[in-house]
């Protein structure tokens, strides 16, 4: 039991020091920098003029759809870079596997295009 405690003593010391440093770093600005609000500091800033609507307004669903489609296609294109680098070592099987992947990707893109998911009206 004693060896277990001595093995974990450096971790306990580290946690105490880290907690002390974190507490000091949070408390120090409160002590050194007094809070003096004025109208300029508390005013909302939106391109130099007063706000004209709620910041939590609803977006159109098409915005989310287009953004999700962009992320999906962007990540799928990112798979092409490691594939291109290792093409010499993965051989013909790796080449045709990626061609199948790109074929499915193209079919999905054509489906989205025909359904009008990429139209912004």
């Amino acid at each position: 039991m004693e060896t277990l405690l001595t093995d974990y003593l450096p971790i306990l010391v580290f946690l105490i020091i880290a907690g002390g440093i974190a507490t000091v770093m949070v408390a120090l600005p409160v002590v050194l920098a007094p809070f003096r609000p004025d109208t300029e500091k508390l005013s909302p800033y939106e391109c130099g003029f007063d706000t004209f609507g709620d910041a939590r307004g609803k977006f159109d669903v098409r915005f989310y759809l287009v953004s999700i489609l962009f992320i999906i296609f962007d990540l799928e294109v990112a798979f092409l870079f490691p594939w291109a680098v290792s093409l010499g070592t993965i051989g013909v099987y790796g080449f045709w596997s990626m061609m199948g992947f790109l074929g499915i990707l193209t079919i999905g893109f054509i489906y989205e295009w025909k359904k009008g998911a990429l139209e912004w009206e």
Side-chain angles (χ1 to χ4, degrees):
M1 184 69 174
E2 187 176 311
T3 60
L4 180 69
L5 294 176
T6 57
D7 288 343
Y8 285 102
L9 183 63
I11 296 173
L12 181 65
V13 170
F14 174 77
L15 289 175
I16 291 171
I17 291 173
I21 290 173
T23 304
V24 167
M25 292 181 83
V26 169
L28 199 61
V30 173
V31 173
L32 295 179
F35 183 67
R36 292 188 211 123
D38 61 356
T39 55
E40 282 298 316
K41 277 187 179 179
L42 297 177
S43 67
Y45 179 76
E46 186 175 327
C47 302
F49 50 86
D50 291 333
T51 58
F52 54 86
D54 188 18
R56 294 172 298 276
K58 293 182 180 179
F59 283 98
D60 193 6
V61 174
R62 289 176 288 185
F63 171 77
Y64 295 112
L65 180 64
V66 170
S67 63
I68 288 171
L69 292 176
F70 172 76
I71 290 171
I72 289 171
F73 280 104
D74 188 43
L75 288 175
E76 289 173 346
V77 169
F79 284 130
L80 291 175
F81 292 111
W83 171 76
V85 169
S86 65
L87 185 58
T89 58
I90 59 176
V92 177
Y93 177 74
F95 174 77
W96 287 111
S97 297
M98 184 54 79
M99 290 302 113
F101 174 74
L102 291 175
I104 293 170
L105 182 66
T106 304
I107 290 170
F109 182 70
I110 292 170
Y111 176 77
E112 290 171 0
W113 194 338
K114 294 289 183 183
K115 285 290 189 177
L118 303 175
E119 298 292 328
W120 194 266
E121 297 171 359

